[in-house]
């Protein structure tokens, strides 16, 4: 029986529900979408099990909320190994990673979220662990008689997740046996995700209601489930408990989520570029300062969908609002402000 170690989180009831809604296998009616990723993982898992070996190290890349953590759980379950969960920012010192690695048992899976944020010294500890299944321990570092001891580790699997594949060092990226990129889900796939989650939650959702939620879900599985929970609340209080198209649209409108899936911050970002920076280009740091949001949040949370949906363009000089953004927000080129775009 697989035992999972799940990182502590203060998400409360929503976090518990998110775990409940998580797919537990790669079956097409369980984990919806991502066909190329599922085919590749099924092949790797089957081959590893036939050989009686741990599966090779795997890197999962893509925007947040597409299922990287879920896939790590599924890999551990399929390989009948315990899952250890950590993240790049949590591994601040080499000793943090060394302690985790020394506790691994044969066949277990170490999931490192945001692996691109590993510090250089921590990353160097990971290299021999992934390649040679060994841990190099330095005793008396900085002293004339410092010595290095090598501790053998059992064969285990590292599953790394990143939203910024380009920030991984080549040395780390090359140590993964396979790399998969998760793509945004299509509206049809999002509707299937909504209907699957509704069955688990015991919510009655008609197909048109699921399609209404899916259209505004930003192509993201996590957003599908979040919007469904809020629409369920609205349906139970303001309607008869059934999520129809009209109920879903009204609930989402009350939440400030427009028909293209943009929320208030998305619209604020685009409006700021149009009004304050003449449509762009504007540097990310300047934009973040103007909308009072962290640079990393803009780049990892908001920007991927705005780029994918065609509302934002990224150039060498900065971010630019597209004609689609102008049309969606009701602007014309003449509505832009007069401030020059910043290149910071």
């Amino acid at each position: 029986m697989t035992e999972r170690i799940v990182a502590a989180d203060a998400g409360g009831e929503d976090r518990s529900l998110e775990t409940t809604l998580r797919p537990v296998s790669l079956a097409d009616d369980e984990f919806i979408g991502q066909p190329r990723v599922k085919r590749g993982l099924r092949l790797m898992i089957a081959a590893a099990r036939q050989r009686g070996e741990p599966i090779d190290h795997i890197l999962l890349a893509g925007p947040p909320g597409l299922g990287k953590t879920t896939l790590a759980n599924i890999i551990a379950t399929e390989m009948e190994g315990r899952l250890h969960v950590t993240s790049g920012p949590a591994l601040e010192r080499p000793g943090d990673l060394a302690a985790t690695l020394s506790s691994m048992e044969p066949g277990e899976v170490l999931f490192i979220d945001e692996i691109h944020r590993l510090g250089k010294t921590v990353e160097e500890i990971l290299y021999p662990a992934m390649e040679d299944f060994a841990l190099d321990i330095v005793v008396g570092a900085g002293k004339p008689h410092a010595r290095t001891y090598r501790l053998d580790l059992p064969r285990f699997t590292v599953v790394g997740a990143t939203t910024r594949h380009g920030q991984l060092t080549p040395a780390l990226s090359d140590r993964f046996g396979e790399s998969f990129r998760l793509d945004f889900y299509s509206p049809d796939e999002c509707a299937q995700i909504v209907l699957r989650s509704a069955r688990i939650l015991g919510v009655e959702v008609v197909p048109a209601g699921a399609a209404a939620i899916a259209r505004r879900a930003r192509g993201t599985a996590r957003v599908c489930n979040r919007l469904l929970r809020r629409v369920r609340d609205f349906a139970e209080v303001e309607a008869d408990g059934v999520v129809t198209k009209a109920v879903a649209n009204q609930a989402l409108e009350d939440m400030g989520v427009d028909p293209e899936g943009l929320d208030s911050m998305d619209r604020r970002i685009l409006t700021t570029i149009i009004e304050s920076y003449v449509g762009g280009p504007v540097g990310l740091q300047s934009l973040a300062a103007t909308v009072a949001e962290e640079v990393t949040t803009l780049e990892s949370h908001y920007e991927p969908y705005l780029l994918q949906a065609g509302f934002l363009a990224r150039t060498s000089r900065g971010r630019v609002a597209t004609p689609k953004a102008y049309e969606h927000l009701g602007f014309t080129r003449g509505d832009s402000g007069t401030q020059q775009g910043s290149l910071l």
Side-chain angles (χ1 to χ4, degrees):
M1 180 177 181
T2 301
E3 178 185 358
R4 298 183 182 86
I5 297 179
V6 182
D9 191 285
E13 181 181 0
D14 274 0
R15 176 61 60 182
S16 178
L17 281 173
E18 184 178 315
T19 302
T20 299
L21 297 177
R22 216 170 248 167
V24 295
S25 78
L26 294 175
D28 289 337
D29 60 348
E30 184 70 15
F31 193 107
I32 295 163
Q34 311 294 344
R36 188 191 69 82
V37 175
K38 291 192 297 187
R39 281 197 300 271
L41 287 177
R42 287 185 187 122
L43 179 62
M44 291 182 69
I45 290 169
R49 294 181 68 169
Q50 284 182 9
R51 293 192 299 267
E53 298 175 355
I55 192 170
D56 205 352
H57 305 304
I58 295 170
L59 180 65
L60 302 173
L66 299 187
K68 297 185 288 294
T69 302
T70 296
L71 287 174
N73 275 276
I74 291 174
I75 291 168
T77 298
E78 293 288 341
M79 296 306 299
E80 299 182 348
R82 187 170 56 167
L83 179 69
H84 299 254
V85 179
T86 188
S87 69
L91 299 171
E92 297 180 348
R93 299 177 297 275
D96 297 332
L97 179 59
T100 300
L101 292 173
S102 61
S103 69
M104 301 289 291
E105 298 291 338
E108 292 186 341
V109 175
L110 173 61
F111 176 59
I112 307 177
D113 199 10
E114 298 184 271
I115 195 169
H116 60 275
R117 295 179 62 184
L118 282 176
K120 182 179 178 181
T121 56
V122 175
E123 190 174 304
E124 289 174 350
I125 295 291
L126 192 57
Y127 293 159
M130 293 178 67
E131 197 162 38
D132 303 323
F133 298 100
L135 181 63
D136 292 330
I137 300 174
V138 179
V139 178
K143 297 181 180 179
H145 303 293
R147 301 186 63 180
T148 300
Y149 297 90
R150 172 157 285 203
L151 174 66
D152 290 334
L153 299 172
R155 291 183 64 85
F156 66 97
T157 298
V158 173
V159 175
T162 179
T163 56
R164 305 177 72 176
H165 193 178
Q167 289 194 359
L168 259 70
T169 63
L172 179 57
S173 185
D174 289 346
R175 283 171 167 80
F176 287 96
E178 185 58 273
S179 175
F180 296 104
R181 177 167 183 84
L182 279 69
D183 299 316
F184 285 105
Y185 295 85
S186 69
D188 286 344
E189 290 170 339
C190 284
Q192 293 178 51
I193 292 170
V194 170
L195 290 171
R196 173 190 173 274
S197 296
R199 288 193 296 271
I200 295 173
L201 295 174
V203 182
E204 185 176 351
V205 180
V206 303
I213 296 173
R215 181 184 175 187
R216 306 189 195 209
R218 306 169 69 92
T220 304
R222 183 180 298 156
V223 177
C224 286
N225 292 329
R226 178 173 61 81
L227 295 183
L228 172 63
R229 296 196 297 268
R230 300 291 72 82
V231 171
R232 173 196 61 178
D233 294 343
F234 181 89
E236 290 175 351
V237 175
E238 301 291 341
D240 59 1
V242 179
V243 178
T244 63
K245 179 179 180 180
V247 168
N249 283 336
Q250 185 60 58
L252 293 166
E253 183 178 332
D254 289 355
M255 292 170 58
V257 180
D258 70 26
E260 292 291 340
L262 305 189
D263 61 20
S264 59
M265 179 54 80
D266 294 310
R267 294 189 293 272
R268 183 178 178 186
I269 291 167
L270 296 176
T271 299
T272 297
I273 295 175
I274 293 170
E275 292 189 330
S276 300
Y277 296 98
V278 203
V282 54
L284 192 60
Q285 292 182 9
S286 295
L287 180 59
T290 305
V291 300
E293 186 56 87
E294 295 289 337
V295 170
T296 54
T297 302
L298 286 184
E299 195 167 23
S300 63
H301 181 75
Y302 293 102
E303 190 174 76
Y305 178 70
L306 293 175
L307 289 168
Q308 185 266 344
F311 292 106
L312 191 68
R314 186 164 54 191
T315 72
S316 60
R317 300 180 63 212
R319 276 61 177 173
V320 177
T322 65
K324 182 177 180 180
Y326 277 81
E327 180 181 357
H328 181 67
L329 297 175
F331 285 102
T332 64
R333 284 289 178 178
D335 295 324
S336 298
T338 58
Q339 183 175 337
Q340 294 298 311
S342 169
L343 303 183
L344 294 179

